[in-house]
Amino acid sequence: KVAFTNEYARPGFLTVTKKVSGDRADKNESFVFRITIDADGEYPYTLQGQEGMIRSGDTFELKHEESLTVTGLPQGTRYLVEEVDRKGYTASATGAEGYIRKEGSTAAFLNVKSSVPKAGEEDRDSLYAMMAVSALGMILCLTGFAVTGKKQKYARKAPKK
């Protein structure tokens, strides 16, 4: 006697969320994401009430407090969600890559743009400008010393009358 047991694994889903914060943040700005799914085919998605199909490698856009949910993904499928252009924001993400779970998976993205940088952050443009001004000052200083030194050297060798 042979017994077979068929188990059905319900498909899972992936939800991608976006939040923007900070006093210089534009909450109406769109951010582009790329999704990579280690599974062939197209999968249904919902984005702000709009439905469509998405496949691995496709891009989509989210604004503040928007989300995209991809359904019908096989459990255990590896995924990766990347923000393509951060537009000068400091970005962080949780769950940006992982495996589809039966209870669903979430990739949450947060972009922050503030007028006061956080500890350890630097405004690169200001840093580069400071470095350029410092380098120019050093060049002028060294050029001035070289010229002054040559004048004094020649002044000492001049014949006396």
Side-chain angles (χ1 to χ4, degrees):
K1 189 175 186 181
V2 177
F4 292 96
T5 304
N6 288 335
E7 291 186 24
Y8 174 71
R10 295 188 71 189
F13 63 92
L14 171 64
T15 299
V16 182
T17 63
K18 179 67 179 175
K19 290 195 178 186
V20 178
S21 70
D23 62 336
R24 292 181 44 215
D26 180 356
K27 293 186 177 181
N28 294 314
E29 191 166 17
S30 292
F31 295 87
V32 177
F33 294 85
R34 178 177 297 111
I35 187 168
T36 304
I37 308 165
D38 285 349
D40 292 331
E42 292 184 324
Y43 296 92
Y45 74 84
T46 304
L47 172 63
Q48 299 310 112
Q50 301 294 317
E51 295 181 351
M53 299 297 283
I54 196 165
R55 67 177 53 223
S56 186
D58 284 353
T59 60
F60 58 94
E61 294 183 14
L62 293 177
K63 294 179 182 178
H64 175 66
E65 302 252 328
E66 289 186 341
S67 65
L68 170 121
T69 299
V70 182
T71 58
L73 295 167
Q75 287 182 40
T77 300
R78 186 179 173 285
Y79 70 88
L80 170 66
V81 181
E82 301 170 281
E83 192 166 8
V84 177
D85 183 4
R86 296 182 180 132
K87 301 179 180 182
Y89 286 76
T90 301
S92 63
T94 56
E97 68 178 301
Y99 296 90
I100 301 300
R101 301 183 317 244
K102 69 178 180 180
E103 64 274 5
S105 301
T106 301
F109 290 81
L110 171 65
N111 286 17
V112 179
K113 189 183 270 188
S114 298
S115 56
V116 178
K118 293 181 182 178
E121 289 182 7
E122 299 158 352
D123 180 358
R124 285 192 176 99
D125 293 336
S126 296
L127 179 62
Y128 292 148
M130 258 182 12
M131 288 171 55
V133 169
S134 296
L136 181 61
M138 288 175 55
I139 290 169
L140 291 174
C141 219
L142 291 173
T143 304
F145 285 135
V147 169
T148 304
K150 284 182 182 178
K151 284 183 183 177
Q152 290 177 356
K153 184 177 178 182
Y154 291 120
R156 285 187 218 134
K157 290 185 177 181
K160 294 183 182 180
K161 291 184 179 185

